[in-house]
Every structure is written in structure tokens, then in C-alpha cells.
Amino acid sequence: MTAIRSLSVLATAALALTLAACSTPQEGGSSSSSGTAATELTEVTLGLTYVPDIQFAPFYVAAERGYYAEAGLDVTLRHHGANEGLFTAIDQGEEDLVVASGDEVLAQRAAGGDLAQIATLYETSPVALIAPADGGIADPADLTGLTIGVPGEYGSTYLGLLVLLDEAGLTPADVTIQSIGYTQTTALLTDQVDAVMGFRNGDAVRIAAAGTEVTMLDPGSLVSVGIAAPDSSDLDAAAQRAFIDATLRGVEDVIADPEAAVEIAAEYIPGMTQQAKDDAAAVLEATIPLLGTTGLTDEPTWAAMADAMLKAGMITEIPEGAFRN
């Protein structure tokens, strides 16, 4: 998650009948059913970041309930290796689609790539500045002189901090930015920093569970987790649309019954103890208010994000065609 590495996720109103026999869920498994000939399905490989995680519940649900197969797709959910770049496999043609945040897709395209975000699964970005509730931080202007932990000076969390500072008329020189890796919970709980940039449906949940009440500031102008495809993809527009629609059915199922979603995800996430299921349920509870069920990308938000990235030097120009609805 950048954003999606720690975390992120989404629908027709009508429920469809589940196929009688779904494939056994497993890492890299297929969503096709034994009742549908494999030759009749369009093969699709989706890249998911790093390890299996509850943030991918909509995809697990759509696969387990046969929504992809009903849409004429034989979907492989492929988690990346720890040493693999986010876009390495899709750039090499080993994946057809990849889950990424809007800023990641825009940066790839601005660097000469051909990815475009074809669906956005969050209506609201989970990126937030997280601080103890008693820390006196009520708005971005209160950040002056404070030490703020970020995973690094890259990605959606760093961009979110820059947006917050800009909203208050501040610059990075007005605060101390400390790179802490993905240790937001520990860094905040041990007073290494005054606040951290993280995710309200991940880091904030863990910090609160440890007994520290938190306050959060939400940067606007961020397009969060979505599905991206290269312009050069062999997967035609109809198949891409079918994949999005099936995934959105999974999103709506997660929203309607998060408890069932956790149980399905447990079949895809190795070693989920009851405590891990409880933790996953808390993450979903915080995630559901952020999700969208249309898959649409908000154009003004995308434009504002692009402007912020340009101003921050994350991109040198704003490319055309980086998202499409």
C-alpha cells in the first residue's frame, strides 16, 4: 500500500445465484467453477500487493462466490513477492490488471508508462494524519513545529502530508518530517513523533486498539485504491468492464455482511486465528464508510491530486489519459 501496502476495496443491488461449485481458494487461485468450461472463460490475472490481506476482501468475495466466473472470467489473484516492484509484473505482461492507488498510477504514467486507472474503489481516501487526541492538533495549522512520522518521502502518505501543510499555508520546513518506515503504531505509542501519516482503516485502528484515543486530519485531493490496466492490454474493454462489475458485487457484499467477508478472506489469508479475524473485522468496520459502489473516479479530485504531485516534484508533467470512467 504506499497506501495499499499496509492496507485498502467494492456492486449491483441484486444478488446473483452462486455457482454450484467454486474452485478451492488459494494463493494464486482461480475463480472459475467446475461447472463452466475453462475454454469459455477469458483468463485474467490481477496483481495484488505483497501478502494476502483483509483489504482485498472484495476480490476474495467476488472469486469465492463465483462472480468472476459468471462474468465469463477465469481470474487468478496474484500476490506480489516481497522483492517485486508494484508494476514489474504488469509491465512485463505477466498481469492484466493491478490494484494501486491513484497517485501510483499517475506517477507511472508520468514516467512514461501506459497505465490508466479504470476503477476507483474508495470514495474517500483512507490516508490521514493520526495523532493522540490530547495532542492539541485540531487542524493543519497546529502542525507547526511538530515532528511527523512518514513511511518515507514518497507515496500517498507523504503526498497527503504535503497537501495538509499546503492547506494551512505551511511548507515542509515548518515541521520536522521523520522517516519511520511502516512503524506508525510503535512510533506514535512510544512518543518518537507527535503525529504520523498512515491509514484510518489500518494504523488508526491499531493505535486505538492499543488504548490511545486518536484524532485524524484528512487531506483532500487524493484518489485512493483502484484497478489499473495498461493502454496496451490484450484484455478488451468488455472484459475490463465485466471484471469491474464483478468486483463491485464483491464490494457490496462486503458492505452488506462484513462478518461473512472475514470468513471468506480467512480461506485466502494463511493462518488467520480468531484474534486475527477480530482484527480484520475492526479493519473492515473502519473501511466500509470509505468504500464506493460505482467504481467511478472523481475528475476534480484527480486533477487536484495531479496538481499537488506536480507541485511536490513527484511528477514533472501531468499526463493525459491516466484515468478513465
Side-chain angles (χ1 to χ4, degrees):
M1 135 178 207
T2 58
I4 197 163
R5 292 174 186 167
S6 60
L7 69 49
S8 191
V9 40
L10 292 140
T12 58
L15 294 176
L17 294 176
T18 304
L19 293 186
C22 293
S23 61
T24 301
Q26 56 186 339
E27 173 76 7
S30 166
S31 70
S32 62
S33 76
S34 59
T36 304
T39 56
E40 297 176 358
L41 303 178
T42 298
E43 293 186 359
V44 179
T45 298
L46 173 72
L48 301 170
T49 54
Y50 308 105
V51 299
D53 189 88
I54 192 61
Q55 66 178 304
F56 302 119
F59 302 102
Y60 300 148
V61 169
E64 177 68 10
R65 292 185 168 168
Y67 297 160
Y68 292 130
E70 288 182 22
L73 306 174
D74 178 8
V75 174
T76 295
L77 303 179
R78 179 185 180 273
H79 288 282
H80 297 158
N83 297 318
E84 181 180 327
L86 176 59
F87 299 131
T88 300
I90 198 163
D91 286 343
Q92 295 175 348
E94 297 172 9
E95 295 172 351
D96 301 292
L97 304 169
V98 64
V99 173
S101 60
D103 61 287
E104 292 169 325
V105 173
L106 184 57
Q108 191 265 6
R109 195 173 185 96
D114 70 340
L115 282 183
Q117 187 144 319
I118 61 171
T120 297
L121 303 184
Y122 282 75
E123 285 188 346
T124 303
S125 171
V127 171
L129 181 135
I130 306 163
D134 59 3
I137 299 175
D139 59 57
D142 296 326
L143 300 178
T144 304
L146 299 185
T147 299
I148 302 169
V150 297
E153 294 186 8
Y154 55 81
S156 57
T157 48
Y158 183 60
L159 178 61
L161 174 59
L162 297 182
V163 169
L164 284 171
L165 293 174
D166 189 62
E167 287 176 3
L170 303 175
T171 72
D174 295 310
V175 299
T176 298
I177 300 175
Q178 184 171 322
S179 294
I180 58 173
Y182 294 96
T183 65
Q184 289 100 322
T185 300
T186 300
L188 196 65
L189 293 177
T190 57
D191 299 321
Q192 297 176 37
V193 294
D194 299 302
V196 296
M197 292 301 301
F199 301 94
R200 62 168 48 247
N201 59 341
D203 303 294
V205 172
R206 289 187 288 272
I207 292 166
T212 296
E213 186 178 353
V214 299
T215 188
M216 289 180 277
L217 301 181
D218 297 314
S221 310
L222 295 182
V223 176
S224 190
V225 176
I227 301 164
D231 292 341
S232 56
S233 176
D234 292 332
L235 199 63
D236 64 28
Q240 292 181 22
R241 179 71 256 177
F243 181 88
I244 292 169
D245 289 344
T247 301
L248 291 175
R249 292 179 68 187
V251 171
E252 185 152 293
D253 283 6
V254 170
I255 294 171
D257 193 347
E259 183 176 344
V262 170
E263 292 302 319
I264 288 174
E267 298 298 319
Y268 290 79
I269 303 172
M272 279 195 82
T273 63
Q274 185 56 53
Q275 181 60 55
K277 289 182 180 180
D278 292 342
D279 293 342
V283 169
L284 278 190
E285 181 181 359
T287 298
I288 285 172
L290 308 175
L291 297 177
T293 57
T294 68
L296 298 178
T297 300
D298 182 70
E299 185 170 358
T301 303
W302 186 278
M305 177 186 70
D307 287 339
M309 292 178 68
L310 186 64
K311 184 176 181 179
M314 292 181 168
I315 57 176
T316 57
E317 63 178 1
I318 299 174
E320 295 293 328
F323 82 94
R324 57 180 181 267
N325 285 325

